[in-house]
Amino acid sequence: MTSTGIPLDAACLLAVALEGIVYGFSVLLFVGTIWSLTYKQRMQDINRPIAVVAILLLILSTAHMVALIIRVEDGLVKYRGTYPGGPVAFFADPSQPTLSILHALYVLQTLLGDGVVIYRCHVVWQSVLVIILPSILWCSVAVTGSGVIYSYSQVTNSSGDFFANVLGQPTQWVTAFFASTMATNLLSSGLLAYRIWTIERNVSTLRTAKGTMIPIVRMLVDAAVLYTVVLFIALICFVSSNNGEEPAVDMVTPIISIAFYMVLIRIAINRQNLNHPSIIGTTIGTEQGHLQQYHMQPVQVHVSQFTRSDGTSTYGIGNEDQPSTFKAGSGKGSLQS
């Protein structure tokens, strides 16, 4: 298996540049996320678990960026004249400690991002059965990610071709890891978007005030597509032994953060665009925990039974013709993730 594409040392240098750009965007979105969580909120109303997740994602992205810079500096400067084979051989060595650290940070970032999406599914669906398969896939991400790190550290080949060095078991672990994380993200995001869409469809005919959760569904889909496309590009580069896999993989870590942040910011924007409260609806503040409320007028309705309780809010519609007793008011509830 012979590597193709740009030289490996150039690929690593390109990885630093591209990840630096994407990391900059993730930091900007992190600031927007913290603002969306705290703007006009009392301290006790701030969703601390989501704030903690946002901060952890930033910390992992920052650590990954720093580790990548150190790895490139080691290969191009520190060991340039002393490592057998030069910078290309250094970067082609899968057992390098800096590469193991990068992979460990990437796996942790992936597990955290996928875990949040699975938790969202559980909160929105209120069913453990729905998240059984995503949870199994999440566990497979953890296992295959650990397998990648361990198998890379055991490589003893010293050729200047990275893909020749990882031929065999390491390649199988990497392929399984990419497949697992793509399946986990697509399935969890799809279940989450579908559930929000069905709830929106159920309450849309009873809404008199302006407001919709469709932008949230679109953003969830956009975030999942962005993440999956980059993973797919990295997988294609890896199986085709293209050195472009290096920058593609390194960009995934900040992109996971971006996908998380952009959903939160979209929710905040959607919340601020609402001018009227209501007492029928589900929360679009999945992370903030704010219940959207829509003004309802007395009206005769006939719809099938739809009742849900998430521990902090309950909403339902009767299965018979009856006068509505809904009145404009305020309340709180959440489908927090």
Side-chain angles (χ1 to χ4, degrees):
M1 182 181 290
T2 304
S3 62
T4 59
I6 61 178
L8 188 55
D9 52 350
C12 291
L13 195 59
L14 179 62
V16 172
L18 292 180
E19 183 175 353
I21 295 172
V22 180
Y23 172 75
F25 279 110
S26 72
V27 172
L28 181 62
L29 289 177
F30 170 78
V31 174
T33 297
I34 297 300
W35 172 85
S36 70
L37 289 171
T38 59
Y39 182 66
K40 292 184 178 180
Q41 300 292 320
R42 294 176 299 177
M43 184 60 67
Q44 59 268 30
D45 294 332
I46 296 175
N47 193 319
R48 290 186 177 88
I50 293 302
V52 169
V53 171
I55 294 171
L56 285 176
L57 288 172
L58 178 68
I59 291 174
L60 290 173
S61 295
T62 303
H64 192 276
M65 185 76 238
V66 172
L68 180 61
I69 292 174
I70 293 174
R71 170 174 163 78
V72 172
E73 190 271 339
D74 285 347
L76 296 180
V77 179
K78 188 175 182 179
Y79 300 114
R80 180 180 183 87
T82 59
Y83 194 88
V88 173
F90 176 87
F91 293 124
D93 183 4
S95 62
Q96 284 295 323
T98 50
L99 185 59
S100 297
I101 293 173
L102 284 172
H103 286 163
L105 292 170
Y106 172 38
V107 171
L108 289 175
Q109 185 91 330
T110 300
L111 291 173
L112 182 59
D114 290 345
V116 169
V117 179
I118 293 173
Y119 174 70
R120 287 171 177 167
C121 285
H122 171 65
V123 172
V124 173
W125 282 90
Q126 287 293 294
S127 173
V128 176
L129 295 177
V130 173
I131 65 169
I132 289 178
L133 182 56
S135 298
I136 293 174
L137 290 172
W138 184 87
C139 292
S140 72
V141 172
V143 171
T144 56
S146 301
V148 170
I149 297 171
Y150 176 78
S151 62
Y152 270 36
S153 66
Q154 300 303 306
V155 171
T156 57
N157 297 338
S158 58
S159 70
D161 191 323
F162 176 82
F163 294 99
N165 291 338
V166 299
L167 186 64
Q169 191 177 47
T171 298
Q172 296 171 357
W173 280 116
V174 172
T175 304
F177 173 78
F178 279 134
S180 297
T181 187
M182 281 193 291
T184 304
N185 184 262
L186 285 175
L187 179 59
S188 302
S189 299
L191 288 171
L192 182 61
Y194 174 75
R195 183 56 173 168
I196 296 176
W197 176 76
T198 55
I199 294 175
E200 167 66 19
R201 183 183 59 182
N202 287 332
V203 302
S204 61
T205 56
L206 303 176
R207 181 187 298 123
T208 59
K210 181 181 179 181
T212 177
M213 293 184 289
I214 295 302
I216 308 302
V217 175
R218 291 173 179 168
M219 188 55 66
L220 286 169
V221 173
D222 289 345
V225 169
L226 172 64
Y227 179 46
T228 303
V229 165
V230 177
L231 280 177
F232 186 73
I233 292 174
L235 177 60
I236 293 300
C237 289
F238 183 83
V239 297
S240 61
S241 303
N242 192 299
N243 289 329
E245 177 258 353
E246 184 73 26
V249 169
D250 289 332
M251 287 171 58
V252 172
T253 301
I255 285 177
I256 294 174
S257 300
I258 289 175
F260 177 82
Y261 299 148
M262 62 195 290
V263 174
L264 273 173
I265 293 174
R266 174 67 259 188
I267 290 172
I269 294 173
N270 204 71
R271 184 187 65 197
Q272 292 175 8
N273 287 338
L274 297 177
N275 298 321
H276 302 89
S278 86
I279 57 174
I280 271 204
T282 63
T283 176
I284 62 165
T286 306
E287 284 78 13
Q288 288 86 344
H290 290 281
L291 179 66
Q292 282 190 23
Q293 300 177 316
Y294 305 94
H295 279 300
M296 302 300 298
Q297 302 299 328
V299 65
Q300 201 80 5
V301 296
H302 179 77
V303 290
S304 58
Q305 182 70 28
F306 179 76
T307 303
R308 288 210 23 172
S309 174
D310 60 8
T312 57
S313 65
T314 304
Y315 40 93
I317 303 168
N319 192 30
E320 58 183 354
D321 287 327
Q322 53 185 343
S324 170
T325 58
F326 296 118
K327 298 183 181 300
S330 64
K332 288 186 178 180
S334 69
L335 292 178
Q336 295 181 356
S337 69

